[in-house]
Amino acid sequence: MRLSNATLCLVSFIVFSFLQSPAFAVKRSYVVYLGGHSHGVQSSSIDLDAVTESHYHFLGSFLGGHEHAREAIFYSYTRHINGFAAHLDDEVAAQIARHPKVVSLFLNKGRKLHTTRSWDFLGLDHNGVVPSNSIWNKTRYGEDTIIGNLDTESKSFSDEGYGPIPSKWKGICQNQKDAGFHCNRKLIGARYFNKGNASVVGKLNSSFDTPRDKEGHGTHTLSTAGGNMVPRASVFGFGKGTAKGGSPRARVAAYKVCWPPVSGNECFDADILAAFDVAIQDGVDVLSVSLGGDPTAFFNDSVAIGSFHAIKHGIVVVCSAGNSGPADGTVSNIAPWQITVGASTMDREFRSVVVLGNNMHYKGQSLSSKVLPDKKFFPLLSAADAKLANASIQNATLCQAGALDPKKVTGKILVCLRGKNARVDKGQQAALAGAVGMILANDFLTGNEIIADAHLLPASHINYTDGLAVFAYINSTKNPMARIMPVTTLIGTKPAPFMAAFSSKGPNTITPEILKPDITAPGVSVIAAYTEAEGPTNEDFDKRRVQFNSVSGTSMSCPHVSGIVGLLKTRYPNWSPAAIKSAIMTSATTLDNANERILNASYIKAGPFSYGSGHIQPNLAMDPGLVYDLSTKDYLNFLCTLGYNDTLISAFSQDNYKCPGSINLANFNYPSITITNLVGSITVTRTVKNVGTPGTYRAQVQKPVGISVKVKPKKLKFKKVGEEKTFIVSLKVKKGEAIKEYVYGQLVWSDHVHYVRSPIVVKAV
């Protein structure tokens, strides 16, 4: 993506001639991004007020006066991000966008959470936390991104055994309009941001004036990243064990930016930028971000902008990849300064076996606490054969509301097809029609990805192949029968992990030379703390309440990585965000627990566009041996390769920056190597830093099909910690052997103790 040339000066403004907008012009909410600030971290209230006044002055030059600007602006970003959000008509917005002081101007777009909950609309996201000891972080994406009465309702956020809140923390507990919401020495801060939402939906009622989690997403993700150790946790008695976050002794904070959906959007750019700006000032160390939208140019992306300002202050930003898989090119949060996380399974199942009348057994999953009479078979019916006369076969097959005939369904086990409406809603519709149980069968796209949901009737979710067998059995006999066995918890199941079908995939559609996602982590049927404001299915008909719940999505995998980042920040407080990211990526594995290549949900070998560098291995990440490091300047050089000019990048970074005379994006020191449109040959450069004991590392290469790979030198000798060595990798197309699609290999540097692995992704033309 390319931006037009623009210049920015923070305080000096040029007054354009005033153009009156027509009275009937429709105003929309926009974000006007002006780069960074010249004032320091220890800015005073006078400094912040001066920035706001400068925003009024600037916008007033377009609107005809200071007071008009005051009425239009609903956010003034004053701390680390320079800009504002305002109601503007499109004509004025176009004028502002052309101003040389403006880095970018974009609509206040909506984004989504990255949790699938019980739904099969793929594309939601999550929240953030901070990791251990004096580490804190922000919970940022969530439909409701925070925790309700954490200090009293959830043991995951109890402050028992915690000392005073560290002095570096500058945040607040924003509970002035919700006196029942409390922070403590564990949950040390909570804020909410809803003006961007209000600018789209209109005036909000008082229920929006709270950081309280009324939906469960924030509680779940925050406890995954930084929740306390809580013994005897379970969902209806299943999966019983000790719940704990990745950084269980972390201090945590919550920043609520997501709200009930508006046309499918839950989290708006203006609110997201406001949360980033404040969280950096509050003193967070890790930001865990489980939300996203369609990839766009970095300067038009609130998460990319906010993340960049965060990493400038040493804050690691972890983002969910999105839930729009399994299609290619769907990954979101693709800036190189973010850690982007896909979702995969773990070796635990909540098994509920389906037994047919022909004695065939099919292994499904469920978290239903309801059971059918032992060993009793019931008539089995395809939902397609249970439709009401005025309903479509498609709606009936999907077990949608108003499509099932109770006269046909009563007393039977109903087989519903996955897709479109919520998985648990299918069971509810079956139950309302009189079914005694439900078998939920996957479609082709969802393959082997089966999810344990807290159904309200006896139910089992089976994979695509087994679903075909069940439908075939129904069609093969006049009196099909079945039973559903009670749920049991199994540990050590194989193969695991494999990729979730919903997990968004590469290639990166903005900068394909940067491999995304970066990593994968557990994101299917994850048990963590939950709000008791709603039932485990988040459906109105579900009156049950749980303290822990099983939820799926890249929203759930993201905080796994955030928690591990917290541990790394604690152990290596001087490491850069890029070094921490490298440690996580280069220590990951591409093998499952059967020592075979990680598979996708169709049990076909997955690749780097699914899992990035592989599945996270926390223990190995703590001692990576070598890291690929990057500084803020390296990221600015990266932007130069995309065509952004010196003046615009200087405004973005608030540094006097000049693009190097010659720079190649292929040499960007990323922990993976991705070459698109390779013609002939290319040589790329990488630099590694020793963060372990002295030693000698030797290169091992697995070559992509049709590509020759040579590494020079083949051996790197390190004598001390912090020592850096540079090497080159030459890649060449083998005539007659290369194929014109992406192929994969890997480079491993090893001293026989550490295995520093980087994926190689190449497409020849």
Side-chain angles (χ1 to χ4, degrees):
M1 300 293 290
R2 303 292 184 263
L3 288 182
S4 60
N5 289 347
T7 59
L8 181 149
C9 182
L10 290 178
V11 182
S12 174
F13 299 103
I14 298 174
V15 179
F16 273 81
S17 59
F18 171 65
L19 177 64
Q20 178 66 50
S21 300
F24 56 85
V26 176
K27 287 183 169 60
R28 299 192 287 176
S29 56
Y30 283 88
V31 173
V32 180
Y33 176 55
L34 303 173
H37 284 293
S38 57
H39 61 65
V41 176
Q42 303 301 325
S43 53
S44 67
S45 60
I46 296 175
D47 295 325
L48 304 185
D49 290 343
V51 173
T52 299
E53 284 299 317
S54 72
H55 293 160
Y56 292 152
H57 181 73
F58 177 68
L59 184 58
S61 69
F62 294 91
L63 299 184
H66 194 276
E67 289 305 313
H68 291 298
R70 275 183 175 274
E71 293 174 2
I73 291 176
F74 57 89
Y75 274 128
S76 178
Y77 308 122
T78 61
R79 295 167 175 84
H80 301 277
I81 298 169
N82 187 12
F84 57 88
H87 298 282
L88 305 169
D89 66 52
D90 291 348
E91 187 175 358
V92 170
Q95 291 182 42
I96 295 171
R98 293 192 293 268
H99 194 288
K101 311 299 183 184
V102 174
V103 176
S104 63
L105 179 147
F106 51 93
L107 275 171
N108 174 33
K109 303 181 296 299
R111 297 169 185 271
K112 298 179 180 180
L113 295 175
H114 284 169
T115 174
T116 67
R117 298 191 193 86
S118 55
W119 293 80
D120 286 315
F121 296 119
L122 306 181
L124 315 170
D125 262 47
H126 121 237
N127 300 14
V129 296
V130 236
S132 69
N133 298 331
S134 63
I135 299 179
W136 20 80
N137 165 3
K138 100 184 205 176
T139 306
R140 313 176 358 80
Y141 299 80
E143 199 165 292
D144 280 322
T145 299
I146 310 317
I147 297 91
N149 286 341
L150 293 183
D151 55 339
T152 58
E153 292 181 7
S154 176
K155 294 179 181 178
S156 293
F157 304 103
S158 166
D159 67 355
E160 183 178 354
Y162 285 82
I165 295 173
S167 60
K168 70 165 278 188
W169 179 247
K170 307 302 180 186
I172 64 170
C173 191
Q174 192 178 2
N175 61 356
Q176 294 85 349
K177 296 186 179 181
D178 184 358
F181 181 91
H182 303 289
C183 299
N184 58 23
R185 291 170 299 173
K186 171 69 173 180
L187 177 72
I188 59 176
R191 298 179 186 259
Y192 62 91
F193 303 84
N194 59 25
K195 294 178 183 178
N197 179 277
S199 73
V200 175
V201 306
K203 185 176 175 59
L204 304 174
N205 62 43
S206 59
S207 68
F208 285 77
D209 294 331
T210 177
R212 182 184 299 275
D213 180 14
K214 301 173 184 176
E215 181 267 350
H217 182 273
T219 305
H220 194 279
T221 54
L222 190 61
S223 65
T224 299
N228 295 325
M229 293 186 181
V230 182
R232 297 180 296 280
S234 71
V235 182
F236 299 124
F238 304 121
K240 190 175 295 183
T242 298
K244 78 177 187 70
S247 291
R249 297 298 293 175
R251 314 281 184 142
V252 299
Y255 296 75
K256 182 177 182 177
V257 299
C258 301
W259 306 90
V262 180
S263 301
N265 297 310
E266 300 156 291
C267 328
F268 286 87
D269 284 325
D271 294 327
I272 291 167
L273 275 180
F276 265 109
D277 196 31
V278 172
I280 296 168
Q281 188 74 14
D282 284 349
V284 304
D285 293 308
V286 182
L287 292 174
S288 186
V289 179
S290 286
L291 105 176
D294 294 334
T296 187
F298 297 125
F299 288 169
N300 291 345
D301 182 337
S302 62
V303 183
I305 292 170
S307 298
F308 180 82
H309 285 279
I311 65 104
K312 278 182 62 181
H313 291 84
I315 300 167
V316 183
V317 183
V318 186
C319 301
S320 50
N323 298 349
S324 298
D328 291 338
T330 51
V331 63
S332 62
N333 297 319
I334 43 72
W337 47 82
Q338 300 164 332
I339 302 178
T340 308
V341 188
S344 38
T345 65
M346 61 185 88
D347 64 346
R348 178 182 64 195
E349 291 183 6
F350 302 105
R351 184 169 293 173
S352 178
V353 176
V354 172
V355 184
L356 302 183
N358 61 5
N359 204 35
M360 293 299 295
H361 290 57
Y362 299 102
K363 300 172 183 177
Q365 292 198 50
S366 178
L367 280 170
S368 174
S369 58
K370 300 289 184 66
V371 296
L372 293 173
D374 188 36
K375 297 183 180 180
K376 181 176 180 179
F377 283 82
F378 292 85
L380 182 64
L381 180 67
S382 169
D385 298 326
K387 80 178 194 71
L388 283 167
N390 62 347
S392 69
I393 291 180
Q394 180 186 23
N395 288 351
T397 301
L398 294 169
C399 293
Q400 291 194 273
L404 301 174
D405 188 343
K407 294 179 181 179
K408 300 175 182 177
V409 174
T410 299
K412 297 181 174 66
I413 294 175
L414 195 65
V415 185
C416 302
L417 186 66
R418 184 178 180 180
K420 198 167 184 179
N421 57 323
R423 298 183 299 271
V424 293
D425 180 61
K426 297 174 188 291
Q428 174 70 355
Q429 299 307 319
L432 290 174
V436 298
M438 178 189 69
I439 298 171
L440 175 61
N442 272 356
D443 59 11
F444 176 78
L445 286 178
T446 47
N448 294 293
E449 175 199 87
I450 52 180
I451 296 174
D453 290 312
H455 296 282
L456 277 80
L457 80 170
S460 182
H461 183 178
I462 61 176
N463 67 28
Y464 172 68
T465 303
D466 291 348
L468 292 179
V470 170
F471 286 121
Y473 165 71
I474 291 173
N475 294 329
S476 71
T477 180
K478 292 183 178 179
N479 298 300
M481 305 290 286
R483 66 186 179 99
I484 300 173
M485 297 177 66
V487 177
T488 57
T489 304
L490 298 178
I491 304 295
T493 58
K494 295 182 179 183
F498 64 83
M499 296 305 302
F502 61 74
S503 187
S504 292
K505 293 175 60 180
N508 179 335
T509 56
I510 302 300
T511 48
E513 299 86 355
I514 302 297
L515 178 64
K516 291 287 180 172
D518 294 304
I519 198 78
T520 187
V524 178
S525 300
V526 176
I527 293 179
Y530 213 64
T531 181
E532 293 187 58
E534 288 211 15
T537 64
N538 293 101
E539 298 288 347
D540 292 340
F541 53 74
D542 190 353
K543 306 304 179 185
R544 302 169 299 174
R545 296 294 183 265
V546 294
Q547 294 182 344
F548 291 86
N549 197 16
S550 172
V551 189
S552 299
T554 53
S555 279
M556 285 63 244
S557 58
C558 176
H560 279 81
V561 176
S562 302
I564 294 161
V565 167
L567 296 177
L568 282 163
K569 284 278 283 185
T570 302
R571 186 166 184 173
Y572 305 108
N574 296 322
W575 279 16
S576 69
I580 289 174
K581 177 179 184 174
S582 176
I584 288 171
M585 291 176 64
T586 61
S587 61
T589 181
T590 59
L591 302 178
D592 61 21
N593 58 358
N595 207 35
E596 299 289 342
R597 276 270 302 278
I598 291 175
L599 305 174
N600 65 19
S602 297
Y603 282 1
I604 298 170
K605 288 181 180 179
F609 288 146
S610 294
Y611 51 62
S613 292
H615 194 85
I616 193 166
Q617 299 192 103
N619 291 343
L620 294 183
M622 296 296 147
D623 181 22
L626 307 175
V627 296
Y628 294 84
D629 208 355
L630 289 163
S631 66
T632 300
K633 184 177 180 180
D634 292 315
Y635 292 123
L636 299 180
N637 291 344
F638 162 81
L639 293 172
C640 284
T641 68
L642 304 184
Y644 297 97
N645 66 37
D646 296 355
T647 308
L648 188 145
I649 295 175
S650 294
F652 183 52
S653 64
Q654 237 344 262
D655 293 317
N656 187 14
Y657 176 82
K658 185 174 180 61
C659 287
S662 176
I663 186 169
N664 187 340
L665 181 54
N667 295 331
F668 184 62
N669 205 41
Y670 213 64
S672 56
I673 297 173
T674 304
I675 305 297
T676 62
N677 303 320
L678 177 60
V679 178
S681 63
I682 189 172
T683 297
V684 302
T685 301
R686 290 291 188 272
T687 300
V688 286
K689 179 190 293 184
N690 181 37
V691 293
T693 56
T696 300
Y697 287 77
R698 290 175 171 80
Q700 305 168 9
V701 175
Q702 178 186 322
K703 300 175 183 178
V705 174
I707 307 293
S708 69
V709 181
K710 294 182 179 180
V711 181
K712 291 183 180 179
K714 296 181 179 179
K715 182 171 66 174
L716 301 175
K717 187 174 182 179
F718 296 93
K719 297 180 180 179
K720 60 182 179 179
V721 173
E723 186 178 2
E724 293 185 333
K725 297 284 186 181
T726 297
F727 62 91
I728 61 172
V729 181
S730 300
L731 302 102
K732 184 177 182 180
V733 177
K734 294 181 179 179
K735 292 184 179 180
E737 297 183 34
I739 54 179
K740 294 184 178 181
E741 59 185 52
Y742 282 104
V743 289
Y744 315 116
Q746 64 179 20
L747 165 64
V748 180
W749 287 103
S750 177
D751 63 353
H752 301 296
V753 175
H754 307 92
Y755 294 85
V756 186
R757 194 182 64 82
S758 295
I760 299 174
V761 179
V762 184
K763 184 178 182 181
V765 294

